[in-house]
């Protein structure tokens, strides 16, 4: 909060109740006077009033039927189905199988890669070229024929 707000700012619900005309007259006067003095509450009150005005056309629209009975029937049916279809606890363990298998596979791959890194089998070790200066073919040279690769003794 900034220093321009007062510690006794009304809650957003009180400002919305003021817009909806649901406050008692003394509370209405108190919230209105506070919103006139407080810049944050005044801005919020103006925003809520704009939102209330923008939503007014939707209150006039009426649907030709009531959905409440259909929703109540579905809720009642789903409640009965949940009570009737309880499965035993031991059978619910299968739900953990996919994540358990995935975790075991990832652990196995991690151990395998760690073993390869630590000193593993099949890791090629680069050996330095000893005395490469005296070789008949320079490092990276192409051996054209057998005689040029191996000098005659």
């Amino acid at each position: 909060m900034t220093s321009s707000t007062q510690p006794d700012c009304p809650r957003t619900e009180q400002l919305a109740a003021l817009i909806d005309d649901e406050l008692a007259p003394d509370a209405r006067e108190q919230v209105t006077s506070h919103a006139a003095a407080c810049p944050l509450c005044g801005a919020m009150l103006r925003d809520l009033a704009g939102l209330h005005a923008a939503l007014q056309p939707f209150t006039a629209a009426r649907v030709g039927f009531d959905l409440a009975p259909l929703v109540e029937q579905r809720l009642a049916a789903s409640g009965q189905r949940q009570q009737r279809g309880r499965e035993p606890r031991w059978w619910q363990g299968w739900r953990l199988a996919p994540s358990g298998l995935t975790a075991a596979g990832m652990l196995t791959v991690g151990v395998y890669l760690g073993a390869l890194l630590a000193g593993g089998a099949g890791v090629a070790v680069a050996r330095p070229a000893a005395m490469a200066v005296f070789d008949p073919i320079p490092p990276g040279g192409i051996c054209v024929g057998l005689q040029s690769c191996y000098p005659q003794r």
Side-chain angles (χ1 to χ4, degrees), residues 65-147:
F65 54 89
D66 188 18
L67 293 177
L70 296 174
V71 172
E72 288 174 355
Q73 287 175 356
R74 285 189 178 179
L75 287 175
S78 69
Q80 290 173 357
R81 188 175 342 128
Q82 286 178 354
Q83 290 174 356
R84 184 183 56 219
R86 287 303 288 225
E87 55 188 35
R89 279 234 189 258
W90 62 270
W91 182 245
Q92 293 177 358
W94 70 271
R95 295 177 185 164
L96 297 176
S99 58
L101 289 174
T102 303
M106 295 303 288
L107 185 63
T108 304
V109 167
V111 168
Y112 176 72
L113 290 176
L116 282 179
L117 246 166
V123 176
V125 178
R127 287 182 275 169
M131 306 293 282
V133 178
F134 300 112
D135 282 347
I137 299 173
I142 299 174
C143 182
V144 178
L146 230 76
Q147 290 91 13

